[in-house]
Amino acid sequence: MNTKDTKETLTVKEILERQRLLEEEAGEILSGRFDECTYNKGYIRQPVYACKTCKPSEGYGPGGVCYSCSISCHSDHELVELFSKRNFKCDCGTARLGEAACKLETKSRNTVNEQNNYDHNYEGRFCWCNVDYDPEKEDNNMLQCVLCEDWFHENCIGGEKQGEKRFSLPDLEAFEEYLCHKCLDRYSFLKSYINSHMFFSGQYNKKQRVNATSDENKDSKLSDKISQPLSDHTGDCKDNEIAVTKSEETSSIVPLSPSTLSVNNKRKVEEDNKVDDGNEIVNDVVPLKKLRNDDVNTCKRERWQIVSNEIEVDLFCVRGWRDELCRCYKCMELYKQHQIEFILSVEETYEPPEDDDAQKSLFDCGMKALNQMDRVAAIEGILAYNQFKDELIEFLKPFGESGKTVTVKDVNEFFEAKLRDRKPATDSFF
């Protein structure tokens, strides 16, 4: 570190090491090929990105782009990763992304992808709190609802952010996917799965908002509780629920968290590895997986307790929860009526083909491209490279002899001078 101007100085060796680390990171994050837009694949579930740089044309709302277009067409733009969205067709090159054309696929600007379902995510905002997502500043875990595919903060789900504690969430490792209470209000027939051993459930009495000034401890069984997935032989637990006890600071319950459970549809922050010493395991019960019931004549929901519409329900789904969903004639008709048949099985998500060059360095990629070039063009490229190398050495020699530090300004001035003196392509690149 230079103490005189407090600016960081690096040796050539350190710069090359940083470049190597950047190339490795890029290879891991951008491991798929990005030379084909998914537009012609139709409406599919795929990774989607919102571009905040491209402004929609007048009369249109914001749109989204596929993985390939996010790199090939919008690499220098401000992008927000929306993760996977179902039934999506790439909007790149259409009026929803402004005037710019797609570099990978020719499309009419007037193209309208009518089946795309746009929400505030495409404006870069998430959750009920409608906040702009900034991965550099975000300090709360987020869960994606299987149904609406929006993302929600843990402290918004639990109510802490709004100053209205609803319930305490189960441990992140104890469940696999999440169904938000807004969607369960919309598809209320799914609320009855609070009775199932394959779901944790958070429940909140809507009337409590109206009677906010009443005694906080009154009717606590409804206002602040979380039910735990139970095995079939736990008949001693009344109503298959474990009430959360309130305290002056916070109340919580930590269900078992088997290490084998995945954390799909979750955004975890770096500080996730903390241990809550104050948390206590209330009941040492392992959820047992039942075989899927395909009896079309028997509705399992009808033998469960009906859940009042006054109760908001959030469901936290244990691995294998889809096998627990009823498949009787009545329920199958409800899935079809509400167009949520996708909930019955794990959805296939398109991933771009692996890029064979993803783990290669820029030098290796350059050598590969050179070997594939026409012989004359390759020779001209090598001559231009050697000429540029010699000029760069001459530029750096005075700095090495005097011990002077090469600044960003010096480097920029060198390249600006090369661009000004650039000769026609028939001679050389510089």
Side-chain angles (χ1 to χ4, degrees):
M1 182 73 76
N2 189 328
T3 56
K4 190 173 183 180
D5 56 13
T6 68
K7 291 184 178 179
E8 184 181 16
T9 58
L10 299 171
T11 64
V12 173
K13 183 178 180 180
E14 289 171 332
I15 292 174
L16 291 175
E17 177 61 17
R18 285 194 175 188
Q19 177 65 29
R20 184 187 68 79
L21 293 175
L22 285 172
E23 289 174 358
E24 287 183 357
E25 183 180 359
E28 292 174 0
I29 297 175
L30 307 175
S31 60
R33 290 170 49 187
F34 44 88
D35 54 356
E36 180 185 6
C37 175
T38 60
Y39 180 80
N40 288 328
K41 297 184 183 299
Y43 295 93
I44 57 175
R45 192 171 197 267
Q46 60 178 308
V48 179
Y49 300 79
C51 183
K52 300 181 75 172
T53 302
C54 294
K55 303 302 179 184
S57 301
E58 186 176 354
Y60 292 87
V65 300
C66 67
Y67 165 83
S68 294
C69 288
S70 74
I71 301 171
S72 297
C73 308
H74 303 265
S75 60
D76 56 346
H77 295 182
E78 183 182 0
L79 295 174
V80 179
E81 185 176 6
L82 307 186
F83 294 84
S84 295
K85 295 282 189 182
R86 69 176 59 90
N87 298 331
F88 177 81
K89 198 172 185 179
C90 184
D91 289 318
C92 185
T94 71
R96 282 188 173 270
L97 274 298
E99 301 295 329
C102 178
K103 298 176 182 178
L104 300 178
E105 185 69 40
T106 302
K107 309 165 193 168
S108 167
R109 286 195 64 258
N110 296 324
T111 298
V112 177
N113 296 325
E114 296 179 347
Q115 295 184 39
N116 283 358
N117 181 29
Y118 304 101
D119 58 15
H120 65 167
N121 290 174
Y122 290 86
E123 299 171 1
R125 293 180 284 109
F126 297 86
C127 192
W128 303 301
C129 64
N130 208 34
V131 67
D132 285 318
Y133 180 71
D134 185 345
E136 299 298 324
K137 298 179 180 178
E138 186 58 59
D139 60 355
N140 197 255
N141 297 324
M142 299 186 76
L143 307 180
Q144 186 183 36
C145 174
V146 173
L147 292 165
C148 64
E149 295 187 305
D150 198 354
W151 290 85
F152 303 97
H153 300 99
E154 275 189 316
N155 57 6
C156 286
I157 296 171
E160 295 94 336
K161 190 171 182 179
Q162 298 83 357
E164 183 182 46
K165 184 65 179 288
R166 301 172 68 241
F167 53 81
S168 299
L169 275 68
D171 185 86
L172 272 179
E173 305 300 325
F175 64 96
E176 188 172 72
E177 295 182 285
Y178 168 66
L179 306 178
C180 77
H181 66 264
K182 294 290 187 183
C183 285
L184 292 176
D185 279 346
R186 184 177 181 182
Y187 313 117
S188 57
F189 69 98
L190 295 175
K191 283 186 178 183
S192 57
Y193 285 94
I194 65 171
N195 298 281
S196 168
H197 71 297
M198 296 300 288
F199 299 85
F200 295 93
S201 69
Q203 302 163 45
Y204 185 81
N205 190 347
K206 296 178 184 178
K207 288 184 178 179
Q208 179 130 358
R209 295 197 184 94
V210 181
N211 302 317
T213 58
S214 63
D215 183 7
E216 287 187 2
N217 293 322
K218 184 178 180 181
D219 201 16
S220 62
K221 289 184 179 180
L222 289 177
S223 63
D224 188 10
K225 61 186 177 182
I226 183 168
S227 67
Q228 175 130 337
L230 299 176
S231 61
D232 292 335
H233 55 271
T234 55
D236 294 337
C237 283
K238 186 177 181 181
D239 295 332
N240 285 0
E241 293 175 349
I242 298 175
V244 174
T245 305
K246 286 188 174 181
S247 65
E248 292 182 1
E249 295 181 1
T250 183
S251 57
S252 61
I253 174 174
V254 181
L256 289 181
S257 50
S259 58
T260 55
L261 291 181
S262 66
V263 287
N264 295 338
N265 294 23
K266 303 171 192 173
R267 290 181 185 165
K268 295 186 71 176
V269 292
E270 296 281 345
E271 298 76 20
D272 233 10
N273 299 321
K274 299 176 183 175
V275 176
D276 268 338
D277 295 332
N279 288 340
E280 178 182 356
I281 295 180
V282 178
N283 196 2
D284 192 4
V285 180
V286 179
L288 298 179
K289 181 176 178 180
K290 287 183 176 180
L291 295 176
R292 194 173 81 185
N293 181 10
D294 288 319
D295 186 351
V296 296
N297 296 312
T298 304
C299 181
K300 64 174 63 178
R301 292 188 307 107
E302 292 181 351
R303 65 175 183 263
W304 285 337
Q305 184 178 355
I306 297 175
V307 182
S308 169
N309 287 332
E310 295 300 327
I311 303 298
E312 286 183 346
V313 174
D314 293 78
L315 289 178
F316 305 89
C317 317
V318 173
R319 173 176 289 183
W321 63 275
R322 287 180 173 84
D323 290 340
E324 178 72 352
L325 297 176
C326 183
R327 288 166 168 77
C328 72
Y329 288 124
K330 291 181 181 179
C331 288
M332 293 301 288
E333 184 59 33
L334 285 171
Y335 301 136
K336 183 177 180 180
Q337 176 185 332
H338 291 286
Q339 298 181 338
I340 58 171
E341 298 103 318
F342 58 80
I343 201 174
L344 294 170
S345 59
V346 177
E347 297 177 87
E348 181 179 351
T349 301
Y350 171 80
E351 295 290 346
E354 285 293 317
D355 186 355
D356 295 335
D357 295 331
Q359 302 301 324
K360 295 180 180 178
S361 67
L362 289 177
F363 176 80
D364 291 335
C365 291
M367 292 303 297
K368 179 180 177 181
L370 187 65
N371 291 330
Q372 295 174 344
M373 292 175 65
D374 173 78
R375 183 175 179 275
V376 174
I379 292 174
E380 290 180 347
I382 292 172
L383 291 174
Y385 172 82
N386 287 332
Q387 180 181 338
F388 174 71
K389 181 189 70 173
D390 293 340
E391 292 176 355
L392 184 60
I393 290 173
E394 287 299 314
F395 166 73
L396 294 174
K397 185 182 293 184
F399 292 93
E401 293 173 348
S402 64
K404 181 182 176 183
T405 300
V406 182
T407 66
V408 173
K409 182 181 178 183
D410 294 326
V411 174
N412 287 340
E413 288 178 350
F414 170 77
F415 280 102
E416 287 172 1
K418 294 293 102 183
L419 289 173
R420 286 195 301 269
D421 299 339
R422 191 171 184 177
K423 297 179 181 180
T426 52
D427 188 353
S428 66
F429 292 108
F430 292 95

